[in-house]
Amino acid sequence: MTPHLRLGVNIDHVATIRNARGGDHPDPMRAVRIVQAAGGDGITVHLREDRRHIRDSDLDTIMAGATLPINLEMAATEEMLEIALRHKPHAACIVPEKREERTTEGGLDAAGMHNTLAPMVSRLTDAGIRVSLFIEPEARQIEAAMQLAAPVVELHTGRYAHLWLDENAAGIEVELRRIADAAALCAKNGIEPHAGHGLTFDNVQPIAAIPQLAELNIGHYLIGEAIFDGLEASIRRMRQLMDEAR
Ligand code: PXP
């Protein structure tokens, strides 16, 4: 039987809405409690260098109050390393980060950044944090993750999600195959593959059907749907679609 596919809910954009007005509404910690009630398997937060959504104080509150495992997305910087080591989340997903981007565009160049990443991966691992690298679904990047002894990679589904939006796009099947092949290559080499970025009710099932995937991290779409149907209902619907696809 294909193992349970975990759903990590990225709550960054609850903080985006809060920050649009200042103040403290809507409260990301309230979202954490709803994710817990709705059967989510984990909470993902991205503390960006510019603190455009999640802030340091959110991380303090969430780390203190959440019962689900926390996955901290972080850039490969000394500042973020120090924050991760201080908080010791369950997992840390190292992502590429550019100030001018709207969201995480493209995967980490784990191959080209070996010397920067190697001490980071080992310090996080030594602290008991499960390291994940957010990479493109490419053999070269998976080999680099193996050399770095990262136990987990998260495969970037942004290109897949983008192709899905264009009904005439050739290449969606090719992209899906690329993700499936990458997940199989990870599993064969003892790396746990996760996936995420741009996943929606419409496009999640072909990804969820990839048997080696252990976790999906989904944020923007769920928070958007929550405006219309509520966060709990949105998570439950996503959960149901993922389960149906397994
Ligand atoms: N996984 C990673 C590593 C990300 O950086 C993001 C976006 O912050 C996500 C998953 C979630 O992507 P989305 O918000 O498009 O669902």
Side-chain angles (χ1 to χ4, degrees):
M1 200 187 116
T2 311
H4 174 75
L5 177 60
R6 295 192 302 269
L7 171 59
V9 178
N10 184 319
I11 58 162
D12 291 346
H13 296 303
V14 177
T16 303
I17 297 169
R18 176 198 59 194
N19 298 352
R21 271 292 171 99
D24 53 17
H25 183 81
D27 178 6
M29 190 58 212
R30 187 167 163 198
V32 168
R33 287 191 284 271
I34 293 171
V35 176
Q36 291 172 172
D41 300 286
I43 303 290
T44 294
V45 288
H46 186 177
L47 186 69
R48 289 187 77 103
E49 191 190 7
D50 61 10
R51 309 302 198 264
R52 69 174 71 154
H53 34 60
I54 292 294
R55 297 175 179 149
D56 302 71
S57 55
D58 293 321
L59 190 58
D60 293 342
T61 310
I62 291 166
M63 284 301 305
T67 54
L68 287 175
I70 306 297
N71 172 34
L72 174 66
E73 294 177 358
M74 53 175 269
T77 64
E78 271 305 312
E79 184 203 13
M80 287 302 150
L81 177 62
E82 198 242 301
I83 291 171
L85 292 174
R86 187 151 33 85
H87 282 287
K88 294 200 176 39
H90 166 75
C93 180
I94 306 182
V95 302
E97 198 175 299
K98 293 191 224 90
R99 265 188 184 265
E100 63 280 10
E101 70 190 354
R102 263 190 269 172
T103 180
T104 315
E105 290 162 5
L108 190 72
D109 182 11
M113 289 174 67
H114 178 92
N115 293 346
T116 310
L117 294 173
M120 243 175 214
V121 173
S122 60
R123 286 182 66 192
L124 291 164
T125 303
D126 289 349
I129 301 167
R130 199 150 187 253
V131 180
S132 161
L133 303 176
F134 189 41
I135 58 170
E136 290 296 322
E138 290 169 4
R140 179 169 161 269
Q141 298 298 345
I142 294 164
E143 281 151 19
M146 283 160 58
Q147 278 171 16
L148 288 160
V152 178
V153 299
E154 184 167 326
L155 303 170
H156 199 310
T157 52
R159 188 175 150 74
Y160 163 81
H162 189 72
L163 287 167
W164 187 278
L165 288 177
D166 181 353
E167 280 176 16
N168 304 314
I172 184 109
E173 289 303 325
V174 175
E175 186 58 19
L176 194 55
R177 170 83 359 239
R178 203 164 79 101
I179 297 166
D181 288 349
L185 184 64
C186 288
K188 193 169 137 218
N189 289 287
I191 295 185
E192 184 176 289
H194 299 177
H197 209 280
L199 297 177
T200 68
F201 291 158
D202 288 336
N203 70 19
V204 74
Q205 288 200 314
I207 296 292
I210 297 172
Q212 296 86 358
L213 288 178
E215 177 174 311
L216 302 182
N217 281 297
I218 308 181
H220 184 267
Y221 184 80
L222 285 175
I223 304 303
E225 278 298 298
I227 293 169
F228 304 109
D229 282 332
L231 185 55
E232 180 158 351
S234 304
I235 293 168
R236 287 194 190 282
R237 174 85 184 122
M238 189 62 85
R239 178 74 266 164
Q240 185 191 358
L241 290 166
M242 287 163 58
D243 290 343
E244 282 170 14
R246 292 303 262 192

